[in-house]
């Protein structure tokens, strides 16, 4: 999704803006640009990667500027549609993340009043509205302009001769990085980590006036205080650290992520008020990979807490009114900025339903909407494909279920032992990946694949398929193993490999039967199975052998193996692993 950055200080803005944009590339974009003022505004923008723009653009002098990576929604990716956008005079430049719903109407009015437009974007109405209302006070003009606007936005406004940037947000992420005689603005924290680890988070409806020497936040014209936060993420967290791709680095960070996330809760004796309340059932909502974590959560929580759990896609929840009597809601979102989840959370809060959110991003919009927030400790996840954030979400779900469990003490003691062993088991998967790499090379030659699992590993089949399709562009379907014969069998043959997740639980025998059925239709089978499983060796064409352990934790090791399988398959196919086509890290539009 779009990313915005701003700089004002003692230094030349151009290189800082370009560096901040490079740090935001992971969000996904099709074009980029910057505007810098040294008394007059100069804009450079194009359908290019940030690196290419950096090497081809002229030097622009100036100590204040704004920048943007665009992910097209209104108007094709083109030089003219790229941000920043200007008013008629060329004295006001704006970058915007979000969607202006009433832009057509505003544009018609502005055109009738004599404004001329050059792009097809919704954003371009903003500089023109500010121009219309500007009578010497920029912040007031921005505030008045935004009163006309319906939709979501995080904006930065640069004026040619003003020693300040004006920022505002509504339903789109924006942080202000606090420096020494300089300040930064960005859509998210990794963009500014090279310069500062201090940040302010604006509330929806706030207007920020950001100068070199100070930041003032106002609401309805009145000054308000916004607390400064120390960012715990380091510069190294947001760098590749010697790995070829962020995704590989992030996969390898998982033993640490498991330890940190669990350590946080066990040491701080964290509590989840939602679970303390006398809820009769739980509704979990999420999107994409987080939705798969939610599905695993259903198995764990129903098993250990004995309450009914319903899992819904946040994007679907927005179209019907679920019955919520006695229900508590749990939202799961890595970024905390996914538009579908924010909308669903607001809807639930609006009808009085308590919502606990599990998120990875401190100060994110989701954490502000929720009645309670539990943070995962994954660190910044840069690759578009979610890996370590998924594992961290599972850890919080295990912790929640175990903390409020109604299971007997013996079962819980076994689980505590099992969960403590997880970092080492994941490390074993990472250390023994030769077989996975071999299978990936084989898989890379196909254009379709099925992933099958049962029980708690059915969601892992969905997640394995999602990972493979999003980064390798192989069409992959996740399927409950028992469902194959209800339709998908029609597709099976020697040209469609089936990746089968075989767990040592009550699904085991049924899974072996399903694998026999698949083999009988000529499809090659790659099985994920525990070490010592002799039966599977006889059945599958190849076996990815994984460490033994309590089956309730098998989703974790199985997922790590499937992440590696997807990663190496995509690498064999020469795909742009960290930034797959058409995808964005944080999906801030519906
Ligand atoms: O930030 P969120 O967890 O709310 O994001 C939800 C999905 O967009 C996300 O999990 C997506 O499916 C992954 N990038 C896929 O790897």
């Amino acid at each position: 999704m779009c990313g915005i950055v701003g700089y004002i200080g003692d230094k030349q803005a151009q290189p800082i803006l370009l560096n901040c944009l490079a740090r935001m590339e992971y969000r996904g974009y099709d074009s980029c640009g910057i505007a810098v003022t040294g008394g007059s505004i100069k804009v450079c923008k194009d359908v290019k990667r940030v690196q290419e723009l950096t090497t081809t653009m002229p030097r622009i002098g100036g100590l204040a500027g704004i920048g943007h990576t665009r992910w097209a929604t209104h108007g094709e990716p083109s030089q003219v549609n790229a941000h920043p956008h200007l008013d008629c005079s060329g004295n006001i430049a704006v970058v915007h993340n979000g969607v202006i719903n009433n832009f057509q109407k505003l544009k018609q009015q502005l055109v009738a009043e004599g404004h001329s437009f050059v792009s097809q974007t919704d954003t371009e109405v903003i500089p023109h509205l500010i121009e219309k209302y500007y009578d010497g006070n920029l912040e007031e003009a921005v505030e008045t302009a935004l009163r006309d606007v319906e939709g979501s936005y995080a904006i930065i406004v640069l004026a040619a001769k003003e020693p300040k940037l004006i920022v505002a947000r509504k339903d789109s992420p924006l942080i202000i990085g606090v420096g020494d005689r300089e300040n930064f603005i960005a859509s998210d924290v990794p963009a500014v980590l090279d310069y500062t680890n201090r940040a302010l988070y604006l509330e929806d409806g706030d207007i920020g006036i950001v100068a070199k020497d100070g930041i003032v936040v106002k609401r309805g014209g009145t000054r308000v205080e916004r607390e400064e936060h120390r960012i715990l993420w380091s510069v190294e967290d947001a760098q590749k650290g010697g790995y070829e791709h962020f995704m590989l680095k992030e996969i390898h960070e998982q033993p640490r992520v498991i330890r940190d996330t669990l350590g946080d809760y066990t040491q701080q004796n964290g509590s989840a008020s939602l679970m303390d309340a006398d809820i009769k059932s739980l509704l979990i909502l999420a999107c994409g990979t987080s939705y798969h974590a939610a599905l695993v959560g259903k198995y764990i929580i129903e098993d250990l807490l004995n309450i009914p759990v319903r899992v819904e896609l946040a994007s679907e929840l927005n179209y019907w009114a679920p019955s919520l009597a006695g229900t508590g809601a749990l939202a799961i979102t890595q970024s905390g900025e996914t538009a579908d989840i924010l909308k669903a959370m607001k809807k639930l809060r609006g009808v009085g339903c308590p919502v606990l959110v599990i998120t990875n991003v401190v100060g994110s919009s989701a954490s502000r909407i929720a009645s309670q927030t539990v943070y995962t400790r994954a660190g910044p996840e840069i690759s578009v494909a979610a890996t370590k954030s998924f594992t961290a979400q599972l850890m919080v779900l295990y912790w929640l279920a175990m903390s409020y469990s109604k299971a007997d003490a013996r079962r819980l003691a076994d689980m505590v032992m099992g969960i403590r062993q997880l970092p080492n088991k994941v490390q074993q998967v990472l250390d023994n990946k030769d077989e996975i790499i071999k299978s990936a090379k084989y898989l890379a030659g196909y254009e379709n694949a099925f992933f099958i699992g049962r029980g708690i590993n059915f969601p892992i089949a969905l997640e394995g398929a999602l990972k493979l399709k999003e980064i390798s562009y192989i069409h992959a379907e996740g399927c409950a193993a028992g469902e194959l014969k209800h339709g998908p069998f029609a597709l099976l043959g020697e040209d469609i490999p089936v990746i089968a997740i075989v767990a040592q639980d009550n699904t085991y025998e049924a899974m072996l039967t399903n694998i026999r059925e698949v083999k009988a239709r000529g499809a090659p089978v790659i099985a994920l199975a525990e070490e010592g499983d002799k039966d599977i060796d006889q059945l599958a064409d190849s076996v990815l052998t994984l460490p033994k352990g309590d089956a309730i934790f098998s989703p974790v090791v199985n997922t790590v193996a499937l992440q590696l399988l997807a990663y190496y398959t995509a690498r064999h196919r020469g795909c742009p692993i960290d930034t797959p086509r058409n995808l964005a890290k944080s999906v801030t539009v519906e």
Side-chain angles (χ1 to χ4, degrees):
M1 295 281 118
C2 302
I4 62 175
V5 297
Y7 173 79
I8 187 158
D10 280 337
K11 305 192 183 96
Q12 286 298 320
Q14 182 184 17
I16 294 174
L17 293 169
L18 290 166
N19 184 46
C20 292
L21 286 184
R23 293 262 180 253
M24 275 199 320
E25 284 192 291
Y26 76 96
R27 293 170 66 89
Y29 69 108
D30 46 57
S31 51
C32 58
I34 66 166
V36 170
T37 182
S40 65
I41 292 178
K42 301 249 176 343
V43 177
C44 190
K45 57 184 188 176
D46 215 332
V47 185
K48 284 183 175 165
R49 307 306 293 169
V50 175
Q51 178 59 30
E52 208 187 339
L53 188 80
T54 306
T55 50
T56 53
M57 76 183 293
R59 192 183 160 275
I60 312 177
L63 308 180
I66 57 180
H68 191 266
T69 47
R70 177 170 189 254
W71 192 85
T73 56
H74 296 68
E76 61 182 4
S78 68
Q79 201 267 345
V80 85
N81 286 335
H83 299 212
H85 289 284
L86 295 168
D87 67 339
C88 295
S89 70
N91 286 322
I92 294 170
V94 171
V95 286
H96 166 227
N97 175 17
V99 173
I100 308 300
N101 298 330
N102 60 339
F103 84 99
Q104 291 287 19
K105 194 173 128 218
L106 293 171
K107 192 168 173 174
Q108 276 164 17
Q109 282 167 2
L110 287 160
V111 168
E113 290 164 12
H115 291 258
S116 53
F117 284 73
V118 293
S119 78
Q120 291 111 45
T121 65
D122 52 340
T123 300
E124 203 183 354
V125 297
I126 303 175
H128 287 277
L129 283 172
I130 298 171
E131 179 179 36
K132 171 177 164 179
Y133 293 119
Y134 184 66
D135 63 2
N137 185 326
L138 187 61
E139 72 206 57
E140 275 179 19
V142 173
E143 200 166 2
T144 313
L146 290 177
R147 266 187 230 127
D148 290 352
V149 163
E150 288 163 19
S152 61
Y153 52 80
I155 58 164
I156 316 178
V157 182
L158 172 76
K161 299 198 192 306
E162 299 263 7
K164 60 192 173 194
L165 301 171
I166 308 294
V167 301
R169 65 157 282 172
K170 180 174 169 278
D171 296 334
S172 280
L174 184 135
I175 63 131
I176 303 178
V178 184
D180 184 17
R181 291 184 63 72
E182 59 183 356
N183 288 305
F184 307 82
I185 299 148
S187 297
D188 56 20
V189 164
V192 301
L193 276 177
D194 284 333
Y195 307 101
T196 183
N197 64 352
R198 295 155 59 201
L200 293 184
Y201 300 98
L202 293 193
E203 300 286 334
D204 279 352
D206 286 353
I207 302 275
I209 301 119
V210 183
K212 174 175 82 174
D213 287 319
I215 300 160
V216 173
V217 182
K218 289 189 177 171
R219 235 183 137 71
T222 309
R223 188 169 175 161
V224 289
E225 291 310 316
R226 294 285 171 245
E227 196 189 341
E228 187 181 304
H229 294 261
R230 191 151 289 276
I231 302 166
L232 296 175
W233 297 350
S234 68
V235 183
E236 293 72 35
D237 283 339
Q239 289 174 345
K240 282 190 199 149
Y243 286 92
E244 195 177 336
H245 296 97
F246 278 110
M247 183 179 177
L248 192 60
K249 178 190 176 222
E250 288 160 3
I251 291 172
H252 278 262
E253 283 174 332
Q254 291 177 107
R256 196 267 305 150
V257 168
I258 296 173
R259 278 190 203 99
D260 285 358
T261 302
L262 286 176
D264 245 26
Y265 300 119
T266 45
Q267 277 156 34
Q268 294 170 16
N269 291 321
S271 85
S273 54
L274 176 76
M275 311 301 270
D276 289 326
D278 189 22
I279 54 165
K280 303 278 176 279
S281 66
L282 194 63
L283 164 68
I284 316 185
L285 53 145
C287 308
T289 288
S290 298
Y291 173 73
H292 300 152
L295 290 172
V296 176
K298 174 184 164 72
Y299 285 88
I300 308 169
I301 294 170
E302 289 204 336
D303 183 2
L304 295 181
L305 266 74
N306 212 8
I307 56 167
V309 179
R310 185 160 107 214
V311 180
E312 299 292 345
L313 289 163
S315 54
E316 286 300 311
L317 200 63
N318 292 325
Y319 299 106
W320 50 281
S323 131
L324 291 169
T327 300
L330 186 60
I332 307 181
T333 167
Q334 180 280 132
S335 62
E337 301 294 349
T338 301
D340 289 326
I341 201 130
L342 299 184
K343 189 167 175 187
M345 287 174 72
K346 282 181 190 161
K347 177 172 170 176
L348 294 173
R349 293 286 277 145
V351 294
C353 179
V355 182
L356 184 149
V357 69
I358 300 175
T359 185
N360 194 38
V361 180
V362 175
S364 57
S365 303
S367 67
R368 266 172 276 184
I369 298 168
S371 32
Q372 195 190 1
T373 304
V374 174
Y375 288 108
T376 48
R377 286 287 305 278
E381 189 174 69
I382 307 292
S383 183
V384 164
T387 53
K388 61 177 180 172
S389 62
F390 175 78
T391 308
Q393 290 165 351
L394 291 188
M395 288 306 119
V396 173
L397 290 164
Y398 284 121
W399 162 73
L400 274 177
M402 288 165 73
S403 306
Y404 294 88
S405 171
K406 303 211 167 41
D408 65 59
R410 173 90 187 266
R411 168 89 180 107
L412 275 178
D414 287 347
M415 282 190 70
V416 169
M417 206 150 72
I419 206 165
R420 286 208 182 117
Q421 291 167 351
L422 268 181
N424 290 341
K425 294 200 186 297
V426 168
Q427 193 60 52
Q428 280 176 47
V429 179
L430 298 171
D431 291 343
N432 300 297
K433 49 181 182 291
D434 290 355
E435 204 50 48
I436 297 177
I437 294 173
K438 213 164 110 195
S439 294
K441 197 169 173 187
Y442 168 80
L443 200 54
Y446 290 87
E447 289 309 320
N448 297 285
F450 272 101
F451 287 69
I452 57 170
R454 277 179 178 260
I456 199 169
N457 281 295
F458 161 49
I460 304 309
L462 298 177
E463 175 57 10
L466 177 64
K467 250 0 31 122
L468 186 72
K469 80 180 98 173
E470 73 173 324
I471 62 165
S472 76
Y473 310 151
I474 294 174
H475 167 240
E477 272 189 52
C479 193
E483 283 295 297
L484 275 182
K485 55 188 171 294
H486 298 293
F489 261 5
L491 292 173
L492 286 189
E494 59 189 24
D495 54 347
I496 303 197
V498 175
I499 294 95
I501 306 168
V502 185
Q504 290 293 333
D505 57 13
N506 57 356
T507 66
Y508 182 74
E509 292 301 337
M511 270 308 290
L512 293 193
T513 302
N514 295 140
I515 292 172
R516 284 188 194 100
E517 290 164 353
V518 168
K519 289 295 302 169
R521 275 134 193 106
V525 172
I526 301 172
L528 275 68
E530 271 193 8
E531 56 200 352
D533 185 339
K534 294 277 176 278
D535 294 336
I536 203 71
D537 286 342
Q538 312 299 315
L539 280 179
D541 296 275
S542 56
V543 180
L544 308 181
T545 306
L546 301 172
K548 276 180 191 292
D550 188 333
I552 199 164
F553 299 120
S554 61
V556 179
V557 278
N558 287 332
T559 301
V560 175
L562 293 178
Q563 291 166 350
L564 288 168
L565 186 68
Y567 173 81
Y568 285 105
T569 305
R571 213 171 84 164
H572 279 299
R573 290 167 69 98
C575 297
I577 292 178
D578 285 333
T579 51
R581 68 185 175 212
N582 303 333
L583 295 182
K585 183 65 187 164
S586 145
V587 185
T588 53
V589 291
E590 265 184 73

